[in-house]
Every structure is written in C-alpha cells, then in structure tokens.
C-alpha cells in the first residue's frame, strides 16, 4: 500500500506540475501572442511611417542608396542627413536654414521672374556672373571714355584759356591803337574843318566870280541871240544852195558845263563849280579838258579829255567828284573845264538813239543795249525821242545793223518776214544818218558819246581803277 501511495503521490505531483506548466505555457503563449499582435501593429505603424518618409521603391534608387551610405558615414539617419544638407543648402542660398523649396521657388520667381524661374540656380548665377562681368567691362569702358572726355575737356579748357589770353592781349593792343587813331582822327577832323572853311571861302569867291561871269555871259548870249537870228536866215539860204553835205559839230564852248575849283590828289577828289542850283544829279560823269578849245572833233570822235570824274556829293553851287581816271603827267588843276554832252543846267537836250550798242562792254553789240544807253541819258536829265524831229540836239548811232543774205526763193514765210524786218531796221539806220547830216545835227557814235559825257563803262572802269 505504501508503494502504491508513493507512486500515486509522485504521479499526482507530476500531474500537478504538468498542469501548472501547461497553465504557465498557456499564459505565456497568450502573453506572447498579445505582444506579437502589439509588435505587429507597431511594425505596421512603423512601416506606414517609414513609407511616409521613403517607399520601398525609392529605397532601391541609386541616389537614395548613396545618401544612406553618406548618412551612415556621418552616423546620421537618412532624414537627419538630408535635413542637415537641406538646411546647409538653404543657408547658402537664402541665408535661412528654415526655408523650404516652395519658399525658395517663390523667392527665386520674385527675383528672376516667371520667364527664368524654370532655369537652375547655377545657370542663373552663371548668367548673372556673365552679366556682371559685361557690366564691369562696360563700366571700365565708360570710365575710360569719361577719362578721355575729361582729358579733352582739360585740353579744350587750356586752349580756351590761351585764346582768351591772346584775345586779351589783342584787345589791349587794339585799344591802344584805337586811342592813337582817335587822336589822329581828332587832328584830321580839325584839319578837315579848317580845309572846309577854306573851301567855303573859296566857293563863295567862286560863286561871286561865277555870278559876274554869268552876267557877262548873259550879255554875250543876248548879243549872240541877235546875231543868231541873222545867221539863221543866212543858214537857211545856204542850206538850199550847197551841193555837198557837211557835218558841223556842236560849238566847243557850248559843251563846257563848269570848272574845276580845287583838287585833292591824296584822296582823288575834285571840286567843281556847279551844284543842285544847276540841277546836277548824283552819279553824273564829266570829261576834264584844259580849256574849251581842247574839246575838238578828232577823226571819228572828239579828242579824249585829260581825266574823267563822277559826282558823289552835291551842294547848292558846288559838288564833290571822284576822279575815275587821269592822264599820267597831265593832272587835273584848278581852272580846267568839265563837259558832258547830255547835261546842261539851262536846257534839256533831246537825243535820238538807234543802232547796235555794247553798253555792258562784253564785246558784243546788240539792239537791246540801245535801251541801256537811252536810260543813262535819261538819268542825267536828257530827253530820249523815238523819231527824228527838227529840234533834236544829238543823233546817237551805234553800229550799223548787219543785213543777212537775201533768202532763197523757196524759203518759208517766216524767213522772208524776218528778213524784211531787219531790212527795215537797216534802212531806218541809213535814213537817220542821211537826215542828220542834211540837217547838220551832231552825230555821235558810242565812243564819242562816252568821250563827251565822261562816262566810263563798267568793264573799262574796272581796268582803269586797278
């Protein structure tokens, strides 16, 4: 019995221990299962969190593998390594490690604009660097140009300064010269006034003498008028009897218009004894002769005078003339006489002008220049008429017009009409010459007219004054 009880007790103990062990195992299994479930939930949560950070597909990328290796080398997690790297990059780019790529993109757009916002920052920095270098180059060029301009300005300033100094010296010299000339002008004015006073006294004396001469000449004219009446009757009788035609020029004494009162050789001025009282116009020219007898017919014209004058100032009974030309060795002196065939203070001479003239002295005579000669005569108080009249004083004939050859029988009507017109002109020229000779009217050619008026044509005057 004792043995059976021991075996039963041991078996019961074993069973108890087995039951306890089984219970403990069950409890342990339950606990482990519970922890497993918790661990599985934690793993799933951790996997979800890791997937939020990096997915399995991204984990196998070469760039991520390189970053993980770099993080392990730095003993940092991948996130910590990337966070530190982004912070450093942001610090380098924006200066703040807290900036995000979105804020960086917004700031880049604000700086470079939308057009360049897609470019990498390195490219933008490279372009900015190139632009900065270009601007530095432009700045250097601008500074060089500015320096060159400053140098030019300095040179110009120095030049202007030198010019001003030279101008000042010139002004000072001119001022001194003006003062010297002013003194000379004062002396000249005093001398001129004295000379004018002397001339006035001489003019008064000349006027008195001229008045006496005028009275004497008036008496002579009255006597000559009486004699002229008698002579006209005799002349009319002689005209009907003579068989040859002669040309009698105007009496030389009748051509004398005045006298030379005084001469200034230094200023080439001459003073004559006629003025506005004798209706003397400005611009009138005269020939100068030693006396009335020197005004004589000679060949085709009259003998030239010793000088020619042009009136430049007219007083009441005197005038100032400019000496246009003067014979060498035979100067103008007081007492010489002056003559102009157009001018007469007591009468208006009548002229008939016809033919071809060379008034402008170009070597070509044309009928149109006869108007220029007529205008010159009219400007000096003469009267120009179109047809020959009994009271004409001078017949001024230019060159005879040239008649062309007779037109052929088959020539046009216009050619015949032009030939007839020219033929009439030549016929009128010949008729005027014959009528003038028959009536004893003085006939002057162009040169004789210039000789008797003292007129120096433009081209001839320019040669004479050189």
């Amino acid at each position: 019995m004792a043995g059976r009880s021991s075996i039963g007790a041991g078996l019961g103990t074993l069973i108890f221990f087995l039951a306890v062990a089984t219970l403990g195992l069950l409890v342990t299994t339950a606990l482990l299962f519970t922890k497993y479930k918790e661990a599985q939930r934690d793993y799933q949560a951790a996997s979800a969190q890791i997937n939020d950070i990096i997915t399995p597909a991204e984990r196998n990328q070469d760039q991520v593998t390189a970053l993980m290796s770099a993080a392990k080398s730095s003993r940092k997690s991948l996130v910590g390594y990337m966070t530190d790297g982004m912070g450093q990059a942001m610090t380098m780019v924006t200066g703040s490690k807290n900036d995000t790529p979105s804020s960086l993109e917004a700031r880049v757009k604000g700086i470079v604009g939308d057009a360049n916002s897609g470019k990498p920052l390195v490219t933008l920095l490279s372009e900015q660097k190139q632009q900065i270098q270009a601007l530095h180059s432009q700045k250097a060029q601008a500074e060089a140009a500015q320096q060159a301009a400053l140098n030019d300005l300095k040179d110009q300033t120095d030049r202007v300064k030198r010019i001003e100094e030279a101008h000042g010296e010139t002004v000072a010299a001119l001022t001194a010269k003006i003062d010297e000339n002013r003194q000379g002008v004062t002396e000249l004015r005093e001398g001129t006034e004295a000379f004018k006073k002397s001339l006035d006294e001489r003019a008064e004396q000349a006027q008195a003498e001229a008045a006496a001469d005028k009275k004497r000449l008036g008496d002579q004219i009255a006597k000559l008028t009486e004699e002229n009446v008698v002579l006209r009757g005799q002349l009319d009788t002689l005209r009907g009897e003579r068989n040859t035609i002669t040309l009698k020029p105007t009496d030389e004494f009748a051509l004398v218009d005045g006298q030379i009162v005084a001469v200034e050789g230094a200023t080439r001025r001459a003073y004559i004894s006629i003025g506005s009282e004798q209706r003397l116009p400005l611009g009138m020219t005269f020939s100068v002769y030693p006396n009335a007898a020197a005004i004589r017919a000679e060949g085709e014209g009259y003998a030239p005078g010793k000088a020619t004058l042009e009136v430049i100032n007219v007083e009441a009974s005197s005038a100032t003339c400019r000496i246009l030309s003067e014979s060498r060795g035979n100067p103008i002196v007081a007492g010489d006489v002056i003559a102009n065939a157009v001018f007469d203070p007591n009468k208006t001479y009548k002229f008939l002008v016809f033919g071809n003239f060379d008034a402008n002295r170009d070597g070509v005579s044309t009928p149109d220049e006869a108007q220029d000669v007529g205008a010159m005569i009219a400007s000096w108080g003469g009267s120009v008429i179109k047809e020959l009249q009994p009271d004409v004083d001078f017949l001024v004939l230019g060159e005879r017009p040239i008649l062309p050859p007779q037109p052929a029988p088959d020539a046009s009507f216009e050619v015949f009409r032009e030939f007839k017109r020219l033929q009439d002109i030549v016929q009128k020229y010949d008729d005027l010459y014959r009528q003038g000779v028959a009536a004893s009217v003085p006939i002057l050619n162009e040169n004789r007219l210039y000789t008797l008026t003292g007129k120096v044509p433009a081209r001839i005057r320019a040669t004479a004054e050189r």
Side-chain angles (χ1 to χ4, degrees):
M1 274 306 277
R4 190 180 295 172
S5 298
S6 297
I7 294 170
L11 183 60
T13 302
L14 179 61
I15 293 170
F16 174 77
F17 279 113
L18 288 173
V20 171
T22 301
L23 180 62
L25 181 60
L26 292 172
V27 172
T28 301
T29 301
L31 290 174
L32 290 175
F33 183 76
T34 301
K35 288 187 177 289
Y36 170 75
K37 289 293 185 182
E38 291 177 356
Q40 190 176 20
R41 285 194 299 269
D42 292 338
Y43 173 76
Q44 291 177 349
S47 296
Q49 291 178 354
I50 291 173
N51 289 334
D52 291 339
I53 296 174
I54 182 170
T55 65
E58 293 173 345
R59 189 181 291 112
N60 295 326
Q61 294 179 357
D62 295 338
Q63 185 178 6
V64 174
T65 303
L67 289 173
M68 290 177 67
S69 297
K72 287 179 180 180
S73 299
S74 301
R75 295 182 179 181
K76 295 180 181 180
S77 65
L78 177 60
V79 175
Y81 179 78
M82 293 181 67
T83 301
D84 292 341
M86 182 175 290
Q88 292 175 0
M90 290 299 175
T91 302
M92 291 176 62
V93 176
T94 66
S96 174
K97 66 179 182 179
N98 296 324
D99 282 334
T100 64
S102 299
S103 63
L104 174 61
E105 182 180 4
R107 293 181 67 176
V108 169
K109 286 184 178 180
I111 294 173
V112 302
D114 293 337
N116 295 320
S117 61
K119 294 182 179 180
L121 287 177
V122 175
T123 302
L124 293 174
L125 290 174
S126 177
E127 292 178 352
Q128 291 293 324
K129 183 178 179 180
Q130 292 176 359
Q131 292 177 2
I132 290 171
Q133 290 176 350
L135 290 174
H136 279 302
S137 177
Q138 293 176 3
K139 178 184 177 184
Q141 293 176 0
E143 289 177 348
Q146 180 184 18
Q147 186 62 40
L150 290 174
N151 293 336
D152 291 342
L153 178 61
K154 183 177 181 301
D155 293 340
Q156 291 296 330
T157 303
D158 294 340
R159 179 173 174 272
V160 170
K161 183 178 179 181
R162 291 194 299 270
I163 292 173
E164 289 178 347
E165 292 175 353
H167 179 68
E169 295 175 357
T170 303
V171 170
L174 289 176
T175 302
K177 189 67 176 178
I178 289 172
D179 293 338
E180 180 182 350
N181 291 339
R182 184 181 291 112
Q183 182 178 0
V185 169
T186 302
E187 295 175 356
L188 180 62
R189 183 185 296 110
E190 293 175 353
T192 303
E193 291 176 353
F195 181 72
K196 185 175 182 299
K197 182 178 179 181
S198 174
L199 285 180
D200 291 341
E201 293 175 353
R202 292 167 62 182
E204 291 177 358
Q205 180 181 358
Q207 289 177 359
E209 293 175 356
D213 290 341
K214 184 176 181 181
K215 183 177 183 305
R216 177 175 55 81
L217 292 174
D219 295 339
Q220 290 180 0
I221 290 172
K223 181 178 178 182
L224 290 174
T225 301
E226 294 177 359
E227 295 176 356
N228 187 43
V229 173
V230 177
L231 292 175
R232 278 186 183 277
Q234 296 175 356
L235 180 61
D236 292 338
T237 302
L238 291 174
R239 281 179 177 173
E241 296 177 353
R242 66 182 179 174
N243 296 322
T244 59
I245 299 175
T246 58
L247 175 62
K248 182 179 181 300
T250 304
D251 182 54
E252 290 80 2
F253 184 84
L255 294 175
V256 174
D257 297 313
Q259 290 184 327
I260 301 295
V261 176
V263 181
E264 291 182 8
T267 59
R268 294 186 62 80
R269 296 288 186 269
Y271 301 87
I272 59 177
S273 62
I274 57 177
S276 59
E277 293 178 353
Q278 287 78 29
R279 300 184 300 171
L280 178 65
L282 282 174
M284 175 70 74
T285 57
F286 293 96
S287 289
V288 181
Y289 295 88
N291 48 57
I295 311 175
R296 63 184 182 277
E298 190 176 87
E300 288 295 324
Y302 277 77
K306 63 194 296 186
T308 57
L309 307 177
E310 182 182 19
V311 178
I312 59 174
N313 185 37
V314 179
E315 302 292 341
S317 58
S318 64
T320 303
C321 299
R322 177 166 61 98
I323 300 174
L324 299 177
S325 64
E326 190 174 18
S327 300
R328 183 175 298 177
N330 190 14
I332 303 173
V333 297
D336 288 346
V337 299
I338 58 175
N340 184 310
V342 178
F343 175 76
D344 190 314
N346 301 313
K347 176 183 177 181
T348 299
Y349 285 110
K350 291 184 178 181
F351 292 78
L352 193 153
V353 181
F354 194 82
N356 296 341
F357 292 84
D358 185 15
N360 58 11
R361 311 308 283 177
D362 61 354
V364 180
S365 299
T366 64
D368 294 336
E369 292 180 63
Q371 299 178 1
D372 298 333
V373 176
M376 179 192 72
I377 294 172
S379 67
W380 288 342
S383 175
V384 181
I385 59 177
K386 298 295 184 181
E387 300 295 336
L388 190 62
Q389 300 174 1
D391 59 346
V392 68
D393 296 294
F394 292 95
L395 177 60
V396 182
L397 294 178
E399 293 183 7
R400 186 176 184 271
I402 298 175
L403 184 65
Q406 179 76 27
D410 58 346
S412 64
F413 173 77
E414 287 76 15
V415 173
F416 275 104
R417 184 171 59 184
E418 179 64 15
F419 176 81
K420 182 63 171 63
R421 185 184 69 83
L422 295 176
Q423 188 179 45
D424 292 342
I425 293 175
V426 173
Q427 184 64 43
K428 182 176 181 180
Y429 183 95
D430 295 337
D431 292 342
L432 287 174
Y433 181 81
R434 286 193 296 269
Q435 293 172 14
V437 172
S440 298
V441 176
I443 300 176
L444 305 177
N445 59 19
E446 188 173 5
N447 291 332
R448 184 181 296 179
L449 175 67
Y450 290 152
T451 299
L452 290 179
T453 59
K455 170 68 176 177
V456 180
R459 182 169 297 181
I460 296 177
R461 179 182 298 178
T463 304
E465 291 179 347
R466 288 195 183 101

